[in-house]
Amino acid sequence: MVRTGFGMIIGAQPDMEVVGEAADGVEAVAAARRLRPDVALFDIRMPKMDGLQALKLLAGPGVPDPVKIVVVTTFDLDEYVHQALRNGAAGFLLKDSGPALLVEAVRAAVSGDALISPSVTVRLLKHLATPAQPAEDGGLSPRELDVVRLTARGATNAEIATELFISVGTVKTHLGSVHAKLGTRNRVEIAAWAWERRLLG
């Protein structure tokens, strides 16, 4: 029922098309590798292989040409959220987030941004485990750290540009530098890096 509902929401968008569905994690990994969708929607709880393991196989550290995966689930326990982000998720939504947020998350993933349910973001900022290296700055400049903090709070490039009085192009340049220095691939990984180091406190 959930898959059907998501399919109807996505299919109703003029610029989106559902190219495949899967009933379990093993099938989902095979389908994603075969179909190479622009974005895949995964649940954490799936038969045969859970969403976190499937996510790691398709988008985890060291995976060449990773699939952009948005995790959509009822299970918003902190350890699940954190593991999903570390395994390369391009977004994390709760199933009750609504159709508009689901569509927005897909669009964000395609454009290289990420969308995380607001309630999840707030809780992560407050309750994530104490970092191993709280003072580490990854070799980032003060301005790059400003960009990282705003990115971790969910700000768009335009919002970051307004906040820091710089151009959107400069924001993109800073993000490119951040990715190169930290070895991150998307905004979610930048956010996870910042959260782990308590850079938002």
Side-chain angles (χ1 to χ4, degrees):
M1 286 176 58
V2 173
R3 272 208 324 275
T4 300
F6 285 170
M8 291 174 65
I9 293 168
I10 298 300
Q13 305 306 308
D15 56 345
M16 295 184 189
E17 178 187 1
V18 177
V19 296
E21 295 185 20
D24 60 64
V26 173
E27 188 181 329
V29 170
R33 285 174 171 164
R34 183 178 72 254
L35 298 169
R36 299 301 305 177
D38 295 315
V39 179
L41 302 176
F42 276 23
D43 197 344
I44 284 180
R45 293 282 179 89
M46 295 191 290
K48 297 186 180 178
M49 179 189 297
D50 68 51
L52 295 175
Q53 180 61 28
L55 176 63
K56 190 173 184 179
L57 290 175
L58 292 170
V63 174
D65 194 20
V67 177
K68 293 176 179 176
I69 297 174
V70 175
V71 175
V72 188
T73 184
T74 53
F75 299 96
D76 65 336
L77 297 177
D78 289 349
E79 60 264 33
Y80 287 154
V81 179
H82 190 212
Q83 192 60 48
L85 298 183
R86 297 313 301 163
N87 284 2
F92 194 101
L93 290 181
L94 303 183
K95 284 181 181 174
D96 61 3
S97 296
L101 212 56
L102 177 67
V103 171
E104 191 177 339
V106 171
R107 295 193 195 286
V110 170
S111 66
D113 290 334
L115 193 151
I116 302 173
S117 287
S119 61
V120 174
T121 302
V122 170
R123 216 175 51 254
L124 277 174
L125 298 184
K126 289 182 177 177
H127 301 300
L128 223 69
T130 303
Q133 298 174 299
E136 182 191 349
D137 64 8
L140 302 181
S141 70
R143 182 42 58 98
E144 287 167 350
L145 285 169
D146 289 339
V147 171
V148 164
R149 289 187 185 97
L150 291 169
T151 298
R153 291 191 179 106
T156 64
N157 287 353
E159 290 168 342
I160 294 171
T162 300
E163 177 76 18
L164 300 180
F165 302 101
I166 57 180
S167 71
V168 171
T170 301
V171 173
K172 291 179 179 178
T173 298
H174 283 316
L175 286 172
S177 178
V178 168
H179 285 315
K181 290 179 179 179
L182 302 184
T184 50
R185 296 174 300 178
N186 55 50
R187 299 169 87 91
V188 175
E189 291 184 5
I190 289 176
W193 182 88
W195 290 332
E196 288 174 349
R197 286 154 184 80
R198 295 285 195 220
L199 293 182
L200 304 175

